[in-house]
Amino acid sequence: MNDREMYAELNALLGAIGKALDLTSEQTVKAVEADEIAMEMKVDERGERFITVSFQGRSAQIYQGAIRYTPEADEDEDEDEDDEAGCGHGGCGCGSGRGR
């Protein structure tokens, strides 16, 4: 791959990151330069490669030609999960008596 091709690929990746995280191109570049965007290359269960990006509580998976967003749990779901996981006093068997 020559320099021109590499530049085009990096430009496309930065554009996808900006789109996935709802950032302008300037915001994307500044966040990447400041190391504020976490990026990790992964392979899914079907063997497809993608890049996971995270920034200020938002995250997405960037595939070739597609962006998949990580579902955000609302606050009520988070509380329910805490109760079930224990020891949120909601049925974990710790003997607290709350939630029974």
Side-chain angles (χ1 to χ4, degrees), residues 3 5 8 39 42 51-53 62 75 85-86 89 95 99-100:
D3 288 344
E5 288 174 324
M39 291 183 269
K42 294 185 175 184
I51 297 174
T52 298
V53 293
I62 301 173
E75 292 179 26
H89 305 295
R100 293 183 185 180

Side-chain angles (χ1 to χ4, degrees), residues 25-75:
S25 58
E26 185 176 313
Q27 290 171 322
T28 303
V29 170
K30 284 182 179 182
V32 168
E33 288 175 344
D35 201 25
E36 295 173 346
I37 296 178
M39 291 183 269
E40 186 177 358
M41 297 176 70
K42 294 185 175 184
V43 178
D44 68 13
E45 62 279 350
R46 295 175 305 206
E48 294 184 41
R49 297 176 189 269
F50 65 95
I51 297 174
T52 298
V53 293
S54 300
F55 176 70
Q56 295 181 347
R58 294 174 284 189
S59 61
Q61 298 171 340
I62 301 173
Y63 286 80
Q64 180 71 36
I67 297 172
R68 294 188 182 151
Y69 294 93
T70 305
E72 296 179 23
D74 59 331
E75 292 179 26

Side-chain angles (χ1 to χ4, degrees), residues 64-95:
Q64 180 71 36
I67 297 172
R68 294 188 182 151
Y69 294 93
T70 305
E72 296 179 23
D74 59 331
E75 292 179 26
D76 293 337
E77 289 177 10
D78 289 342
E79 289 174 14
D80 291 342
E81 288 175 12
D82 289 344
D83 286 347
E84 292 173 7
C87 179
H89 305 295
C92 66
C94 70

